[in-house]
Amino acid sequence: MKKYAEFAGADNSTPSVPQYFSWINNTNEGSTEEQTLINLDFFGYMKEKYGMQIEIYAWDAGNFDGASEGYGNLRGEKFKSQYPAGYKNIVKKADSLGIKMGLWGSPDGFGDTPEEEKERFDFYVHLCRDYGFNEFKLDGVCGKLRPEKAEIFSKMMIECRKYSPDLIVLNHRLPLYEG
């Protein structure tokens, strides 16, 4: 654990961050681009009318990884049907409102080949580097982090923090080993 301590971000002494989790609108089926844009319009209205500002809009289960379909796939039919333009329109809208995005998922999903491992690693880094994601909520619905994938998970989070230094990683009762 000490090996990666210098890269740690928020902990239980960090002040709270106002945020929204999409579980309120959907469960394991996940939301859609249209639904998310409508929700962001609502938060824009609340900001303009009442000065209410959320800092993070976090997609919960089913928006990438999910209970029934397992690990997410950017080329999969489910993702393409829910987010036909990927995340770019949503992130653009969120940015205009001063909101960062977050994503629920599994800490694993690295597959069994070097190519699958790289794809998962690159996806999470892409979210931080290209879209400024600021939160990952991790739990075991799709599976726990395999011990042999702990080092790549740690390296992935370190790389993500290069682009999102205030990245919040919520761990919902999972062993993340040195990560």
Side-chain angles (χ1 to χ4, degrees):
M1 186 71 145
K2 292 179 183 177
K3 178 179 177 181
Y4 295 104
E6 67 186 277
F7 301 104
D11 63 20
N12 61 356
S13 66
T14 303
S16 297
V17 174
Q19 59 183 288
Y20 170 81
F21 271 106
S22 68
W23 191 259
I24 294 168
N25 285 130
N26 59 269
T27 56
N28 284 309
E29 77 278 3
S31 62
T32 65
E33 178 177 320
E34 178 184 22
Q35 183 180 37
T36 304
L37 290 171
I38 290 168
N39 287 349
L40 287 169
D41 283 340
F42 170 75
F43 288 117
Y45 165 80
M46 295 297 285
K47 179 179 180 176
E48 183 179 314
K49 180 86 172 171
Y50 300 106
M52 185 191 100
Q53 176 70 51
I54 63 168
E55 291 182 29
I56 298 173
Y57 184 109
W59 280 305
D60 216 317
N63 288 281
F64 194 67
D65 294 341
S68 59
E69 62 279 341
Y71 302 115
N73 178 353
L74 290 171
R75 294 175 302 285
E77 186 56 41
K78 181 180 185 293
F79 182 80
K80 287 181 178 181
S81 68
Q82 287 176 281
Y83 301 98
Y87 294 148
K88 68 180 179 179
N89 294 331
I90 293 163
V91 171
K92 182 178 178 182
K93 177 70 172 181
D95 282 348
S96 75
L97 298 169
I99 298 171
K100 297 289 186 183
M101 297 301 296
L103 183 68
W104 173 94
S106 170
D108 205 313
F110 292 107
D112 298 315
T113 67
E115 295 79 17
E116 291 170 326
E117 185 176 276
K118 181 179 181 338
E119 184 175 348
R120 184 69 166 195
F121 183 98
D122 290 349
F123 170 69
Y124 271 86
V125 171
H126 158 71
L127 293 177
C128 294
R129 181 190 60 233
D130 302 328
Y131 292 140
F133 272 52
N134 205 36
E135 181 176 279
F136 297 133
K137 177 186 175 196
L138 307 173
D139 75 27
V141 170
C142 295
K144 295 179 179 176
L145 181 63
R146 293 171 286 170
E148 65 272 19
K149 298 297 181 179
E151 185 172 353
I152 192 67
F153 171 82
S154 296
K155 288 178 180 177
M156 182 177 73
M157 290 297 107
I158 290 167
E159 188 68 18
C160 286
R161 283 208 167 101
K162 288 179 183 177
Y163 305 102
S164 297
D166 295 331
L167 179 67
I168 297 168
V169 181
L170 300 173
N171 177 1
H172 189 68
R173 302 182 306 234
L174 291 172
L176 298 178
Y177 313 102
E178 70 266 14

